[in-house]
Amino acid sequence: MFAPVIVKRRSKDEAEKPFWISYADLMTALMVLFLVVMSVALLAVTKTVSQIEQEKAQRQKDIAKLLDEVEQAADRYPGVKVDRDRDIIDFGDKAHFEKGSYALSPDQARLLRAFVPEILAIARDDLGRKWLKRVVVEGFASPEGDYLYNLNLSLERSQRVLCILFAPPYPDERPMTPAELEQVRDLFLVGGYSFNAAIYDAATKSYDESRRVELRLEFLGIGEARPPAPAVAPGNFGKCALRG
């Protein structure tokens, strides 16, 4: 005899039950996925911003240390000061000019040829190579005369500083090495401001302090490289006409 075969019928509810995931479950899964992706993205952005802030803080710290070195060098030369707010080396009356003139006295020339090598040494150290972009020699004039005349005069004053550096030293001076002179040519720029940024002395009622030169330090930004040196023959310095 054959054993009876029993066929179990599926209930009507079981047959109509869908096997697809419900719409609510799908939306929940998508929301969870969205939150995970946003969390990862936010973490990456936060990490990037934090790294940028750390780099900015380190840059400011390094530049402050570099300016400390410049101040220490300036302290060895009475009258030379560092304006940290403007990144300026101010020579005071050590780099003032007579009215209508762009000549510097022998004592002023001695000071410049003694002080600038110290700046060059700072530019060659680790922090200097990392952050110092250039040194701008800025010339200024007093308001007497017209704008273009004073613009040319202020340029001649800043140029005279470089002429002094490249001029033959006095017998009692240490001559700058060829490497230092190459560094001056590559690192220093000149600029003239005419009578912009004029300084009026109320005590003397004059603009005598406006007839001056300053050294402005420019620093590199994060990720910025120092501009390459110009492709010129070594020792090609030339000569200045020492007049004015």
Side-chain angles (χ1 to χ4, degrees):
M1 297 180 64
F2 295 99
V5 177
I6 301 175
V7 179
K8 184 178 180 181
R9 290 188 175 184
R10 300 172 64 182
S11 66
K12 183 178 180 181
D13 291 341
E14 185 178 353
E16 295 179 354
K17 186 176 181 181
F19 65 91
W20 296 103
I21 186 171
S22 68
Y23 180 77
D25 292 340
L26 177 62
M27 293 302 297
T28 300
L30 290 175
M31 181 60 70
V32 172
L33 180 61
F34 173 77
L35 291 176
V36 171
V37 172
M38 289 302 297
S39 298
V40 172
L42 182 60
L43 181 62
V45 171
T46 302
K47 183 178 180 181
T48 301
V49 172
S50 177
Q51 182 179 358
I52 292 175
E53 292 301 322
Q54 290 177 1
E55 291 176 348
K56 288 182 178 179
Q58 185 62 48
R59 176 181 180 273
Q60 293 299 323
K61 182 178 179 181
D62 289 346
I63 290 177
K65 186 175 180 180
L66 196 152
L67 289 174
D68 288 341
E69 296 178 7
V70 176
E71 279 190 332
Q72 292 172 9
D75 288 342
R76 293 189 283 271
Y77 300 87
V80 181
K81 299 179 180 179
V82 178
D83 185 339
R84 300 177 73 106
D85 293 331
R86 300 166 54 223
D87 299 330
I88 291 290
I89 300 174
D90 181 4
F91 291 92
D93 60 2
K94 304 299 182 180
H96 281 177
F97 297 84
E98 296 295 329
K99 185 176 179 180
S101 171
Y102 54 91
L104 289 168
S105 69
D107 288 340
Q108 291 172 323
R110 291 174 186 274
L111 172 66
L112 288 169
R113 284 196 290 259
F115 177 74
V116 167
E118 301 211 36
I119 300 301
L120 298 179
I122 294 173
R124 291 192 301 268
D125 68 17
D126 292 339
L127 290 180
R129 290 196 304 269
K130 183 177 181 181
W131 294 116
L132 186 59
K133 183 175 184 178
R134 63 173 62 97
V135 180
V136 182
V137 186
E138 297 180 337
F140 299 86
S142 56
E144 293 90 353
D146 58 45
Y147 173 76
L148 291 179
Y149 170 81
N150 282 297
L151 179 61
N152 182 65
L153 182 59
S154 61
L155 283 169
E156 288 176 323
R157 286 170 175 170
S158 59
Q159 182 190 20
R160 178 50 53 92
V161 171
L162 293 187
C163 289
I164 289 296
L165 297 178
F166 287 104
Y170 296 115
D172 60 340
E173 290 183 287
R174 179 191 76 85
M176 296 177 65
T177 66
E180 288 175 328
L181 295 177
E182 295 280 351
Q183 191 180 3
V184 169
R185 185 181 62 186
D186 297 341
L187 191 63
F188 280 55
L189 294 179
V190 297
Y193 279 75
S194 187
F195 46 66
N196 294 316
I199 299 176
Y200 179 71
D201 188 347
T204 61
K205 297 182 179 180
S206 69
Y207 287 92
D208 292 347
E209 294 186 12
S210 298
R211 300 189 290 270
R212 70 194 190 280
V213 288
E214 299 173 341
L215 299 185
R216 176 164 55 86
L217 306 178
E218 291 188 356
F219 299 102
L220 296 167
I222 297 173
E224 184 182 5
R226 185 183 290 179
V232 294
N236 184 21
F237 303 128
K239 295 181 179 179
C240 292
L242 299 179
R243 64 180 188 278

